[in-house]
Amino acid sequence: DGGITQSPKYLFRKEGQNVTLSCEQNLNHDAMYWYRQDPGQGLRLIYYSQIVNDFQKGDIAEGYSVSREKKESFPLTVTSAQKNPTAFYLCASSSHRGSGQPQHFGDGTRLSIL
Amino acid sequence: AQTVTQSQPEMSVQEAETVTLSCTYDTSENNYYLFWYKQPPSRQMILVIRQEAYKQQNATENRFSVNFQKAAKSFSLKISDSQLGDTAMYFCALVSYSGGGADGLTFGKGTHLIIQP
Protein backbone atom coordinates (compact mmCIF):
# COMPACT_ATOMS: atom_id res chain seq x y z
CA ASP A 1 0.00 0.00 0.00
CA GLY A 2 1.21 3.49 -0.84
CA GLY A 3 1.46 5.95 1.97
CA ILE A 4 3.51 8.09 4.28
CA THR A 5 5.46 6.56 7.13
CA GLN A 6 6.55 8.64 10.09
CA SER A 7 8.86 7.33 12.77
CA PRO A 8 9.13 7.08 15.64
CA LYS A 9 5.57 7.36 16.92
CA TYR A 10 6.81 8.78 20.25
CA LEU A 11 10.07 10.62 20.87
CA PHE A 12 11.62 12.16 23.95
CA ARG A 13 14.20 14.92 23.88
CA LYS A 14 16.66 15.83 26.58
CA GLU A 15 17.77 19.37 27.25
CA GLY A 16 20.26 20.59 24.62
CA GLN A 17 19.72 17.60 22.37
CA ASN A 18 18.92 17.56 18.65
CA VAL A 19 16.43 14.94 17.52
CA THR A 20 15.41 13.87 14.02
CA LEU A 21 11.93 12.84 12.93
CA SER A 22 11.71 10.58 9.92
CA CYS A 23 9.22 10.90 7.05
CA GLU A 24 9.18 8.54 4.08
CA GLN A 25 6.63 8.37 1.27
CA ASN A 26 6.16 5.85 -1.53
CA LEU A 27 3.47 7.81 -3.36
CA ASN A 28 5.95 9.30 -5.85
CA HIS A 29 4.87 12.75 -4.71
CA ASP A 30 7.01 15.75 -5.58
CA ALA A 31 6.13 17.98 -2.62
CA MET A 32 6.56 17.24 1.07
CA TYR A 33 5.63 19.24 4.15
CA TRP A 34 6.15 19.34 7.90
CA TYR A 35 3.51 20.69 10.28
CA ARG A 36 3.37 21.17 14.01
CA GLN A 37 0.16 20.75 16.02
CA ASP A 38 -0.19 22.06 19.56
CA PRO A 39 -3.11 21.06 21.83
CA GLY A 40 -6.35 22.66 20.75
CA GLN A 41 -4.69 24.26 17.75
CA GLY A 42 -4.63 23.81 14.04
CA LEU A 43 -1.56 22.74 12.15
CA ARG A 44 1.22 25.23 11.45
CA LEU A 45 3.70 24.88 8.60
CA ILE A 46 7.35 24.41 9.56
CA TYR A 47 9.11 23.63 6.27
CA TYR A 48 8.17 22.41 2.83
CA SER A 49 9.94 21.09 -0.24
CA GLN A 50 8.69 21.12 -3.83
CA ILE A 51 11.59 19.20 -5.34
CA VAL A 52 14.71 17.31 -4.30
CA ASN A 53 17.53 19.46 -2.90
CA ASP A 54 15.25 22.45 -2.42
CA PHE A 55 13.11 23.52 0.53
CA GLN A 56 11.51 26.66 1.95
CA LYS A 57 10.75 27.92 5.44
CA GLY A 58 7.17 27.93 6.58
CA ASP A 59 5.59 30.06 9.27
CA ILE A 60 7.48 28.63 12.26
CA ALA A 61 10.87 27.42 10.94
CA GLU A 62 13.01 28.78 13.78
CA GLY A 63 14.67 25.97 15.73
CA TYR A 64 14.07 23.39 13.00
CA SER A 65 16.06 22.14 10.02
CA VAL A 66 15.30 19.80 7.11
CA SER A 67 16.95 18.11 4.16
CA ARG A 68 15.59 16.67 0.91
CA GLU A 69 18.28 14.48 -0.59
CA LYS A 70 15.83 11.92 -1.97
CA LYS A 71 12.34 12.33 -3.38
CA GLU A 72 10.94 9.81 -0.89
CA SER A 73 12.44 11.27 2.27
CA PHE A 74 12.07 14.55 4.15
CA PRO A 75 13.54 14.31 7.67
CA LEU A 76 12.97 17.05 10.22
CA THR A 77 15.54 17.90 12.89
CA VAL A 78 14.36 19.63 16.03
CA THR A 79 17.41 21.48 17.28
CA SER A 80 18.27 22.61 20.78
CA ALA A 81 17.39 26.14 19.65
CA GLN A 82 13.72 25.13 19.64
CA LYS A 83 12.83 25.96 23.25
CA ASN A 84 9.31 24.58 23.21
CA PRO A 85 9.44 21.42 21.08
CA THR A 86 6.65 19.49 22.80
CA ALA A 87 4.01 18.98 20.12
CA PHE A 88 2.54 16.57 17.61
CA TYR A 89 4.40 16.63 14.29
CA LEU A 90 2.76 15.68 11.02
CA CYS A 91 4.42 15.07 7.68
CA ALA A 92 2.47 15.36 4.43
CA SER A 93 3.03 15.01 0.71
CA SER A 94 1.23 16.00 -2.47
CA SER A 95 1.67 15.54 -6.20
CA HIS A 96 1.97 18.08 -9.01
CA ARG A 97 2.74 21.59 -8.00
CA GLY A 98 -0.02 24.02 -8.89
CA SER A 99 -2.73 21.44 -9.38
CA GLY A 100 -4.43 21.76 -6.00
CA GLN A 101 -4.01 18.11 -5.20
CA PRO A 102 -4.78 17.37 -1.56
CA GLN A 103 -2.03 16.61 0.87
CA HIS A 104 -1.77 13.12 2.29
CA PHE A 105 -0.65 12.87 5.90
CA GLY A 106 1.37 10.43 7.94
CA ASP A 107 0.25 9.23 11.37
CA GLY A 108 2.42 11.72 13.22
CA THR A 109 5.17 11.78 15.83
CA ARG A 110 4.57 12.98 19.36
CA LEU A 111 7.63 14.74 20.76
CA SER A 112 8.04 15.42 24.46
CA ILE A 113 10.77 16.89 26.64
CA LEU A 114 12.31 14.69 29.33
CA ALA B 1 -0.24 36.55 4.63
CA GLN B 2 -3.25 34.31 4.37
CA THR B 3 -5.53 33.40 7.25
CA VAL B 4 -8.25 30.87 8.02
CA THR B 5 -10.75 31.43 10.82
CA GLN B 6 -13.07 28.88 12.39
CA SER B 7 -15.30 30.61 14.89
CA GLN B 8 -16.92 27.55 16.47
CA PRO B 9 -14.52 25.78 18.87
CA GLU B 10 -17.05 23.04 19.62
CA MET B 11 -20.43 21.86 18.36
CA SER B 12 -22.70 19.06 19.48
CA VAL B 13 -25.65 17.58 17.60
CA GLN B 14 -27.82 14.48 17.78
CA GLU B 15 -27.21 11.56 15.50
CA ALA B 16 -28.99 11.89 12.11
CA GLU B 17 -29.20 15.68 12.36
CA THR B 18 -27.61 18.06 9.89
CA VAL B 19 -24.80 20.30 11.09
CA THR B 20 -22.92 23.18 9.46
CA LEU B 21 -19.37 24.15 10.37
CA SER B 22 -18.25 27.69 9.54
CA CYS B 23 -15.00 28.86 7.99
CA THR B 24 -13.84 32.20 6.66
CA TYR B 25 -10.53 32.88 4.98
CA ASP B 26 -8.41 35.60 3.51
CA THR B 27 -5.87 35.46 0.71
CA SER B 28 -4.57 37.93 -1.86
CA GLU B 29 -4.08 35.19 -4.47
CA ASN B 30 -6.60 34.40 -7.19
CA ASN B 31 -5.48 30.80 -7.58
CA TYR B 32 -6.27 28.83 -4.45
CA TYR B 33 -7.98 25.72 -3.14
CA LEU B 34 -9.93 25.08 0.02
CA PHE B 35 -10.17 21.87 1.99
CA TRP B 36 -11.92 20.37 4.96
CA TYR B 37 -9.93 17.78 6.89
CA LYS B 38 -11.20 15.53 9.66
CA GLN B 39 -9.02 14.47 12.61
CA PRO B 40 -10.58 11.70 14.73
CA PRO B 41 -9.14 10.74 18.13
CA SER B 42 -6.56 8.58 16.33
CA ARG B 43 -5.11 11.93 15.13
CA GLN B 44 -4.97 10.87 11.50
CA MET B 45 -5.70 13.72 9.09
CA ILE B 46 -8.38 12.61 6.64
CA LEU B 47 -9.46 14.64 3.64
CA VAL B 48 -13.20 15.28 3.68
CA ILE B 49 -13.75 17.58 0.70
CA ARG B 50 -11.91 19.90 -1.69
CA GLN B 51 -13.03 23.05 -3.54
CA GLU B 52 -11.30 24.88 -6.37
CA ALA B 53 -11.67 28.64 -6.05
CA TYR B 54 -12.30 29.08 -9.77
CA LYS B 55 -15.30 26.74 -9.69
CA GLN B 56 -18.60 28.28 -8.70
CA GLN B 57 -20.26 24.91 -8.18
CA ASN B 58 -20.13 23.72 -4.59
CA ALA B 59 -18.29 20.46 -3.99
CA THR B 60 -20.14 17.45 -2.59
CA GLU B 61 -18.96 14.07 -1.31
CA ASN B 62 -21.80 11.80 -0.22
CA ARG B 63 -23.15 13.30 3.05
CA PHE B 64 -20.66 16.17 2.98
CA SER B 65 -21.15 19.37 1.02
CA VAL B 66 -19.79 22.88 1.10
CA ASN B 67 -21.26 26.33 0.70
CA PHE B 68 -18.52 28.31 -1.04
CA GLN B 69 -19.15 32.05 -1.12
CA LYS B 70 -16.10 33.48 -2.87
CA ALA B 71 -16.98 37.16 -2.55
CA ALA B 72 -17.61 36.75 1.16
CA LYS B 73 -14.55 34.47 1.53
CA SER B 74 -16.67 31.91 3.29
CA PHE B 75 -16.38 28.12 3.05
CA SER B 76 -18.77 26.23 5.32
CA LEU B 77 -19.12 22.45 5.60
CA LYS B 78 -22.51 20.78 5.85
CA ILE B 79 -22.78 17.24 7.18
CA SER B 80 -26.14 15.60 6.52
CA ASP B 81 -27.53 12.60 8.40
CA SER B 82 -24.70 12.84 10.93
CA GLN B 83 -23.26 9.61 12.29
CA LEU B 84 -21.39 8.72 15.47
CA GLY B 85 -18.26 8.18 13.40
CA ASP B 86 -18.36 11.82 12.36
CA THR B 87 -17.21 12.79 15.85
CA ALA B 88 -13.82 14.46 15.32
CA MET B 89 -11.94 17.71 14.98
CA TYR B 90 -12.65 19.38 11.67
CA PHE B 91 -10.11 21.72 10.13
CA CYS B 92 -10.66 24.16 7.31
CA ALA B 93 -7.51 24.72 5.22
CA LEU B 94 -6.35 26.90 2.35
CA VAL B 95 -3.52 26.59 -0.14
CA SER B 96 -2.59 29.40 -2.51
CA TYR B 97 -0.46 29.28 -5.62
CA SER B 98 1.93 32.08 -6.38
CA GLY B 99 4.67 31.69 -8.97
CA GLY B 100 3.51 28.18 -9.80
CA GLY B 101 4.26 26.50 -6.48
CA ALA B 102 2.05 25.71 -3.51
CA ASP B 103 3.18 27.24 -0.25
CA GLY B 104 1.73 24.69 2.12
CA LEU B 105 -1.64 24.61 3.81
CA THR B 106 -2.88 27.30 6.18
CA PHE B 107 -5.22 25.78 8.76
CA GLY B 108 -7.91 27.16 11.01
CA LYS B 109 -7.87 26.23 14.69
CA GLY B 110 -10.53 23.60 14.23
CA THR B 111 -14.06 22.78 15.36
CA HIS B 112 -14.60 19.85 17.69
CA LEU B 113 -17.76 18.15 16.47
CA ILE B 114 -19.52 15.75 18.82
CA ILE B 115 -22.32 13.53 17.54
CA GLN B 116 -24.57 12.43 20.40
CA PRO B 117 -26.40 9.07 20.20
Side-chain angles (χ1 to χ4, degrees):
Chain A
D1 283 342
I4 300 174
T5 301
Q6 289 188 242
S7 62
K9 195 173 180 69
Y10 300 96
L11 187 58
F12 298 91
R13 195 190 90 168
K14 293 180 181 177
E15 198 75 31
Q17 185 182 41
N18 293 351
V19 292
T20 297
L21 284 61
S22 171
C23 178
E24 303 277 334
Q25 55 100 357
N26 60 5
L27 299 167
N28 199 33
H29 284 171
D30 296 303
M32 296 187 74
Y33 310 83
W34 274 106
Y35 295 92
R36 169 180 171 142
Q37 186 177 26
D38 292 286
Q41 300 292 318
L43 282 66
R44 291 182 291 167
L45 182 66
I46 305 172
Y47 268 100
Y48 63 103
S49 168
Q50 302 287 353
I51 55 173
V52 174
N53 293 322
D54 187 40
F55 48 83
Q56 287 77 40
K57 292 182 180 180
D59 300 319
I60 54 166
E62 186 174 347
Y64 300 97
S65 66
V66 294
S67 63
R68 186 89 187 274
E69 297 176 1
K70 298 187 298 183
K71 187 176 184 178
E72 311 80 53
S73 178
F74 191 42
L76 173 74
T77 296
V78 184
T79 74
S80 57
Q82 173 49 247
K83 298 307 179 187
N84 184 23
T86 298
F88 188 61
Y89 291 86
L90 283 156
C91 178
S93 69
S94 66
S95 66
H96 305 302
R97 296 186 294 166
S99 64
Q101 292 301 311
Q103 293 181 15
H104 299 257
F105 286 83
D107 289 340
T109 293
R110 185 181 299 277
L111 175 62
S112 303
I113 294 184
L114 278 178
Chain B
Q2 55 191 31
T3 60
V4 175
T5 302
Q6 294 180 250
S7 58
Q8 305 152 312
E10 185 169 291
M11 297 185 71
S12 180
V13 299
Q14 296 295 124
E15 192 175 7
E17 288 183 347
T18 294
V19 60
T20 299
L21 281 57
S22 302
C23 172
T24 58
Y25 64 92
D26 192 26
T27 178
S28 57
E29 301 294 336
N30 291 319
N31 183 17
Y32 60 90
Y33 295 77
L34 293 156
F35 304 87
W36 279 96
Y37 279 89
K38 167 184 177 180
Q39 189 180 44
S42 66
R43 307 209 64 176
Q44 276 187 303
M45 292 292 287
I46 301 165
L47 177 68
V48 175
I49 203 163
R50 166 179 174 263
Q51 175 77 44
E52 297 95 331
Y54 60 86
K55 284 190 178 178
Q56 291 188 340
Q57 186 175 5
N58 290 324
T60 62
E61 286 288 341
N62 301 313
R63 297 183 295 109
F64 299 88
S65 62
V66 298
N67 183 4
F68 175 47
Q69 301 289 324
K70 190 171 183 178
K73 293 185 176 177
S74 172
F75 182 61
S76 61
L77 174 69
K78 186 172 83 171
I79 305 174
S80 304
D81 185 27
S82 57
Q83 301 173 359
L84 297 178
D86 294 333
T87 293
M89 285 291 293
Y90 286 81
F91 292 98
C92 179
L94 162 72
V95 63
S96 299
Y97 289 84
S98 56
D103 296 335
L105 288 164
T106 297
F107 284 85
K109 292 189 175 181
T111 296
H112 184 204
L113 177 64
I114 301 167
I115 308 299
Q116 304 277 6

